[in-house]
Amino acid sequence: MAPIDKNHPAAPTVIEISEGAAIPTRRDMGLFTAWRTAFVGAIAIVVYLAWSRPKPYLEILQFIPDGLFVTFQVTVEAIFLSLIIGLFTGLGRISKNRLLNGIASLYVEVIRGIPLLVQLFYIYYALGRIVNLPAVISAVIAMAVCYGAYMGEIFRAGIEAVHKGQMEAARSLGMTHVQAMVHVILPQAVKTILPPIGNEFVALLKDSSLVSILAVSDLLRRGREYASESFSYFETYTMVALIYLIITLFLSKIISIMEDRINVGR
Amino acid sequence: MSADKRRKIVEISHLEKYFGTLKALDQVSLDIYDGEKTVIIGPSGSGKSTLLRTINQLETFDRGRIIVDGMDISDKNTDINKVREEIGMVFQSFNLFPHKTVLENVNMAQMIVRRRSRDEAAAISEGFLQKVGILDKKNEYPQKLSGGQQQRVAIARALAMKPKLMLFDEPTSALDPEMIGEVLGVMKNLALEGMTMIVVTHEMGFAREVADRVIFMDYGKIIEEGRPDALFRTPTQERTRLFLKQILKAM
């Protein structure tokens, strides 16, 4: 994914669709307004419902936070692990060593071809016959393995986007390949890599709702528990959806602020 | 000048390199002596940059031998990083590290490769930045500098490693005309100090003034070599004559 100059007449049309919530920037006023409307609106509805009909809405709000913590825990741990996996996968994908390159490429192809939900089942139930991992750990591993493949492609693209003269300059000064990577290439790649990684972060947070199937008490699972006791499905899932929405909108806002900060330095 | 009595810094013998089926270097043999200034000229695609880049192994070669400062770089057991430490290289596109300031650019390899402390490296860096006349910009980032200034920083960065040999790969080709002079000036001073230099360039004035020897390459071969006055005034080969005519007409 080489950066494309959108103002250039010969540039091909780029359709940018990310898996996460759209990340608003100041340049895109329509989206910026939509972000504000959605964010303020969601909070207003949550507050209004809890205030006007405390039972069940306020009860739901009191019941869910444990799950929110689990959702965050799974997301953050999985992101952290997937970044490490992604870094090494990306390095493997550009490696001239055929074995490393082959392993990294195979990993990316295989993982990207299997739905995350199936991977979750596979690690928890199928592999559960060999090693019995706690549900949360299975969930974190499955998410990290899955997202590591996508992160790997992001790292690869980011590293390849650094001009090849940079590696040559570093090597000509006597640095080893690893030293050049660490001190010259990766610090420059980070600028290109951060925005898509932010997208993955938001996407992973949403996908973390899948782990509720493995008896992990995340946000969605807690909602389900409440709903099945109280039979107030409509009310519960309305709240769950609104809370996911508020979190992802909030996250995408933070990411867009971070992007602006990085771009200032250019 | 009795160059032959001096020490050979680079010995290239029967070098061959292919890009696919294209013969990029064809039986190139060349010795460079300590303190010698060699300028390589030739049309684009003649293999002059490729030859330069094989000397520090930014390009591999398929056949032949290169010995740099006594180290045989065709030998698999030679640590190429050790060889590169002794060879400074200046690129057409400067290749400064954009995420580092001017001073950090010059410090970096000294600290990582030469294992100098930050203070030690900075003292050396400032000396060389002073020498190329750009010490006042030491805390700027490269993109704030003009092309000529960036190239002078790149020269300081290479010199700070205290190399035995400097390679220049068309160092002024990417510069606006008004900046060429400042870079050539720095290179002339370096030559006067006795640095061993191999320069690929189209600057015939520089070649005439500074070079001990000019080499004309075409089709991956050394067509002709000689002292600049002789080669420029009375080239023996037809191809050299043709090339010089074209180049001088354009100037």
Side-chain angles (χ1 to χ4, degrees):
Chain A
M1 281 175 280
I4 290 163
D5 181 6
K6 281 169 219 135
N7 299 323
H8 194 274
T13 312
V14 185
I15 302 174
E16 283 181 2
I17 298 175
S18 64
E19 290 170 68
I23 291 177
T25 63
R26 253 161 254 287
R27 274 154 279 142
D28 189 347
M29 275 319 282
L31 207 54
F32 193 60
T33 315
W35 181 87
R36 248 186 302 199
T37 312
F39 189 67
V40 175
I43 290 178
I45 293 169
V46 168
V47 170
Y48 172 75
L49 288 175
W51 171 74
S52 68
R53 285 183 54 199
K55 189 174 169 62
Y57 287 113
L58 191 60
E59 253 183 48
I60 298 168
L61 271 189
Q62 286 160 344
F63 192 80
I64 279 174
D66 295 351
L68 196 59
F69 175 76
V70 174
T71 291
F72 278 132
Q73 186 200 347
V74 168
T75 305
V76 170
E77 288 175 5
I79 278 281
F80 183 72
L81 255 183
S82 69
L83 279 174
I84 296 170
I85 297 173
L87 173 61
F88 285 103
T89 308
L91 290 171
R93 292 269 287 149
I94 55 165
S95 170
K96 286 193 184 107
N97 181 319
R98 280 207 185 162
L99 182 68
L100 289 180
N101 195 315
I103 293 172
S105 303
L106 191 66
Y107 161 66
V108 170
E109 285 309 314
V110 168
I111 293 300
R112 289 205 299 189
I114 302 173
L116 175 56
L117 188 55
V118 177
Q119 288 179 41
L120 280 166
F121 274 34
Y122 197 81
I123 289 189
Y124 186 60
Y125 294 112
L127 291 185
R129 296 184 60 176
I130 308 163
V131 274
N132 211 346
L133 291 171
V136 177
I137 293 180
S138 304
V140 168
I141 291 175
M143 305 278 303
V145 166
C146 178
Y147 273 80
Y150 294 93
M151 297 282 192
E153 288 303 274
I154 294 172
F155 272 100
R156 180 186 59 77
I159 292 167
E160 283 177 346
V162 177
H163 193 268
K164 90 180 205 310
Q166 292 291 310
M167 178 57 92
E168 291 187 346
R171 297 305 305 272
S172 77
L173 288 162
M175 288 187 216
T176 64
H177 189 82
V178 173
Q179 287 169 338
M181 267 291 165
V182 171
H183 296 282
V184 177
I185 307 298
L186 288 177
Q188 293 183 58
V190 165
K191 281 187 176 177
T192 345
I193 284 172
L194 268 186
I197 290 223
N199 274 326
E200 293 297 300
F201 200 159
V202 176
L204 198 151
L205 185 120
K206 289 191 302 167
D207 278 353
S208 75
S209 62
L210 290 172
V211 307
S212 62
I213 290 192
L214 305 187
V216 175
S217 296
D218 75 327
L219 180 53
L220 178 58
R221 178 85 181 190
R222 289 291 281 175
R224 237 166 80 191
E225 285 167 7
Y226 184 86
S228 59
E229 277 172 30
S230 64
F231 299 108
S232 30
Y233 291 99
F234 177 81
E235 294 83 351
T236 310
Y237 290 127
T238 303
M239 286 310 247
V240 168
L242 285 170
I243 290 170
Y244 270 116
L245 181 61
I246 291 168
I247 299 168
T248 48
L249 287 171
F250 182 69
L251 243 180
S252 60
K253 184 67 186 174
I254 289 177
I255 290 163
S256 94
I257 291 169
M258 271 170 60
E259 274 177 40
D260 281 350
R261 288 260 169 87
I262 294 164
N263 285 327
V264 166
R266 289 197 183 203
Chain B
M1 209 180 291
S2 57
D4 294 84
K5 289 199 183 112
R6 284 182 293 174
R7 202 163 63 91
K8 283 180 190 171
I9 290 273
V10 184
E11 293 179 66
I12 300 172
S13 43
H14 307 292
L15 204 63
E16 286 191 15
K17 179 181 175 66
Y18 294 85
F19 286 124
T21 54
L22 180 84
K23 215 170 195 177
L25 292 176
D26 187 359
Q27 288 291 323
V28 175
S29 295
L30 178 65
D31 290 341
I32 306 283
Y33 292 88
D34 195 8
E36 195 178 21
K37 288 96 188 117
T38 307
V39 168
I40 306 177
I41 60 172
S44 58
S46 59
K48 52 194 197 305
S49 281
T50 309
L51 174 62
L52 198 72
R53 289 160 58 87
T54 54
I55 296 173
N56 68 352
Q57 281 295 280
L58 286 183
E59 298 280 356
T60 56
F61 49 88
D62 297 307
R63 234 168 277 145
R65 213 154 101 113
I66 301 181
I67 296 171
V68 177
D69 195 30
M71 295 178 273
D72 185 349
I73 64 173
S74 24
D75 185 347
K76 284 247 185 296
N77 296 320
T78 304
D79 180 1
I80 190 61
N81 298 315
K82 283 272 166 282
V83 182
R84 285 175 176 152
E85 285 177 32
E86 308 303 330
I87 307 175
M89 180 143 191
V90 175
F91 300 87
Q92 183 178 349
S93 51
F94 329 133
N95 295 345
L96 293 182
F97 307 133
H99 61 302
K100 297 283 179 187
T101 64
V102 164
L103 185 64
E104 288 167 340
N105 259 277
V106 186
N107 282 350
M108 189 194 271
Q110 295 185 63
M111 291 164 63
I112 296 170
V113 179
R114 293 277 196 232
R115 305 234 163 253
R116 292 175 192 151
S117 71
R118 182 175 293 278
D119 293 343
E120 213 181 333
I124 293 170
S125 300
E126 289 184 2
F128 283 106
L129 286 171
Q130 172 92 59
K131 195 163 147 184
V132 301
I134 203 147
L135 186 57
D136 56 321
K137 303 270 190 214
K138 69 173 180 176
N139 293 321
E140 297 280 3
Y141 282 89
Q143 63 264 43
K144 289 266 164 76
L145 271 52
S146 73
Q149 291 171 328
Q150 288 191 46
Q151 194 61 299
R152 285 186 280 147
V153 173
I155 293 172
R157 180 175 69 176
L159 289 176
M161 297 296 286
K162 309 248 170 95
K164 293 182 174 142
L165 166 70
M166 284 286 287
L167 306 177
F168 292 85
D169 190 3
E170 304 203 26
T172 57
S173 298
L175 295 177
D176 290 333
E178 74 270 20
M179 292 166 187
I180 291 175
E182 62 191 69
V183 172
L184 291 181
V186 167
M187 290 167 65
K188 273 177 212 166
N189 286 337
L190 199 58
L192 287 175
E193 287 170 14
M195 174 62 78
T196 313
M197 295 163 69
I198 309 178
V199 185
V200 170
T201 187
H202 294 292
E203 295 295 327
M204 297 302 147
F206 176 82
R208 214 182 288 250
E209 203 177 324
V210 175
D212 298 316
R213 175 165 56 155
V214 177
I215 291 172
F216 174 68
M217 280 185 78
D218 204 359
Y219 304 111
K221 284 191 212 129
I222 294 181
I223 305 292
E224 185 171 356
E225 61 171 282
R227 295 190 58 83
D229 45 356
L231 189 124
F232 285 134
R233 214 165 294 156
T234 51
T236 57
Q237 301 292 318
E238 183 57 30
R239 238 182 287 169
T240 318
R241 205 169 301 153
L242 223 66
F243 174 75
L244 288 173
K245 209 170 113 189
Q246 279 172 341
I247 277 262
L248 296 176
K249 197 162 61 183
M251 283 166 78

